[in-house]
């Protein structure tokens, strides 16, 4: 009797809510679980995609042709760090092994001279400059000796001494320029990592949401919707027990075009 009075007054206690949940607990538990299992099965049957990524010191332009020959491989240049990110995606979880093989092929191609090597190019330039400076040192030593001989010679050959001095000055200037350039190249070489791999290929990761997560979300969503539906059904049933509540239900049905009825008061 007290419960009917609370319902008529539009009041529902916590105990009333628990009674509604207890009367429908089987539906509230079984149906969401079934929907969760169905969602898990549907997501599990869909084709998966895995990905692995690595970071190299090589410019993207050097290895960009690989993007045309390796399916699922994307190459991105990081302008801030000067590194290149390789991302390999595919339906099989062996993408890490595939990406490792690709990087090994790049290293072999660099060693064979098939791909440009920044460190190798700098080392070649430094070697050429060192050889040029060594050659100049030999010529400078001979010209210095010749100048000493000219200074002691009698009569003194002014033209020969002037020509030798001019050649010596030119050689010294050229050697100094080569020495400065070689120092700059060595500094640039020191800034380049000795290994081309900055970050090794990561373990294969599943792209997208996991089936377990989707099943959990489907279960929770279905449970919430069913809980709201149970409360609404109980509320409609309680409202239909009195004349004022039935009048309101008729107005709702009319507003939703469910059926056209005349209000009880009008009748």
């Amino acid at each position: 009797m007290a419960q009917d009075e609370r319902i008529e007054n539009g009041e529902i206690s916590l105990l009333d809510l628990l009674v509604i949940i207890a009367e429908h607990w089987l539906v509230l538990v079984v149906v969401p679980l079934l929907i969760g299992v169905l969602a898990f099965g549907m997501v599990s049957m869909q084709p998966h995609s895995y990905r692995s990524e690595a970071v190299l010191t090589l410019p993207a332009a050097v290895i960009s042709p690989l993007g045309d020959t390796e399916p699922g491989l994307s190459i991105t240049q990081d302008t801030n760090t000067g590194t290149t990110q390789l991302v390999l995606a595919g339906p099989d979880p062996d993408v890490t092994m595939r990406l490792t093989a690709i990087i090994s092929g790049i290293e072999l191609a660099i060693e064979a001279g098939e791909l440009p090597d920044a460190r190798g190019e700098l080392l070649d330039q430094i070697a050429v400059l060192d050889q040029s400076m060594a050659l100049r040192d030999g010529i400078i030593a001979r010209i210095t000796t010749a100048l000493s001989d000219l200074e002691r010679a009698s009569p003194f050959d002014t033209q020969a001494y002037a020509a030798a001095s001019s050649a010596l000055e030119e050689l010294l200037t050229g050697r100094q320029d080569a020495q400065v350039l070689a120092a700059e190249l060595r500094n640039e070489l020191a800034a380049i990592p000795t290994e081309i791999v900055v970050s090794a290929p990561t373990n294969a990761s599943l792209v997208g949401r996991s089936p377990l997560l989707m099943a959990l979300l489907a279960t929770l969503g279905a449970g919430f919707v069913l809980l709201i539906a149970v409360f609404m059904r109980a509320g409609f049933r309680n409202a239909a027990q009195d004349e004022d509540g039935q009048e309101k239900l008729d107005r709702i049905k009319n507003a939703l075009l469910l059926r056209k009825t005349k209000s009880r008061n009008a009748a």
Side-chain angles (χ1 to χ4, degrees):
M1 193 64 158
Q3 181 178 359
D4 295 338
E5 293 178 356
R6 287 196 299 269
I7 293 176
E8 291 177 359
N9 295 331
E11 299 177 0
I12 299 179
S13 66
L14 179 60
L15 185 60
D16 297 330
L17 298 179
L18 293 177
V19 169
I20 296 174
I21 294 175
E23 291 176 346
H24 301 83
W25 73 269
L26 190 62
V27 175
L28 293 174
V29 173
V30 174
V31 174
L33 288 178
L34 291 177
I35 294 177
V37 172
L38 180 62
F40 181 84
M42 293 180 60
V43 175
S44 299
M45 289 188 299
Q46 293 179 356
H48 300 302
S49 179
Y50 299 88
R51 61 174 285 164
S52 177
E53 57 185 60
V55 179
L56 306 182
T57 59
L58 298 175
V62 174
I63 54 180
S64 57
L66 291 175
D68 300 329
T69 59
E70 293 292 339
L73 179 65
S74 61
I75 302 171
T76 306
Q77 178 78 42
D78 190 341
T79 56
N80 296 327
T81 61
T83 57
T84 299
Q85 183 184 40
L86 302 182
V87 177
L88 182 62
D92 299 323
D94 63 346
V95 289
T96 301
M97 297 178 59
R98 288 180 52 200
L99 187 56
T100 302
I102 291 173
I103 295 176
S104 299
I106 294 174
E107 293 175 337
L108 292 176
I110 292 176
E111 293 178 0
E114 299 175 0
L115 290 178
D117 180 16
R119 287 185 60 85
E121 292 177 357
L122 289 176
L123 288 172
D124 292 340
Q125 295 178 22
I126 292 173
V128 170
L129 291 173
D130 289 340
Q131 185 178 2
S132 174
M133 287 187 290
L135 180 61
R136 282 188 171 93
D137 289 340
I139 299 175
I140 289 172
R142 288 194 294 271
I143 293 178
T144 302
T145 302
L147 287 173
S148 298
D149 294 341
L150 288 173
E151 289 176 354
R152 293 192 298 268
S154 181
F156 181 74
D157 191 343
T158 305
Q159 293 182 351
Y161 188 88
S165 298
S166 177
L168 178 62
E169 183 178 357
E170 184 177 350
L171 286 170
L172 290 173
T173 302
R175 188 191 185 287
Q176 184 178 4
D177 293 340
Q179 187 176 8
V180 172
L181 180 58
E184 294 176 353
L185 293 178
R186 285 190 172 88
N187 292 334
E188 186 176 350
L189 180 64
I192 298 178
T194 56
E195 300 291 338
I196 68 170
V197 180
V198 178
S199 297
T202 59
N203 294 329
S205 59
L206 185 64
V207 179
R209 295 180 177 176
S210 66
L212 184 59
L213 176 60
M214 296 302 296
L216 179 61
L217 293 176
T219 301
L220 294 177
F224 179 76
V225 172
L226 282 177
L227 186 62
I228 297 299
V230 166
F231 285 150
M232 291 181 63
R233 181 174 178 270
F236 287 148
R237 291 178 59 184
N238 293 333
Q241 295 178 3
D242 65 285
E243 183 177 354
D244 184 58
Q246 184 62 49
E247 174 69 19
K248 293 178 180 178
L249 289 177
D250 292 340
R251 292 174 59 186
I252 293 175
K253 292 177 182 179
N254 291 336
L256 296 178
L257 302 180
L258 296 178
R259 65 179 183 181
K260 290 295 184 179
T261 60
K262 295 182 178 180
S263 65
R264 297 176 182 268
N265 295 333

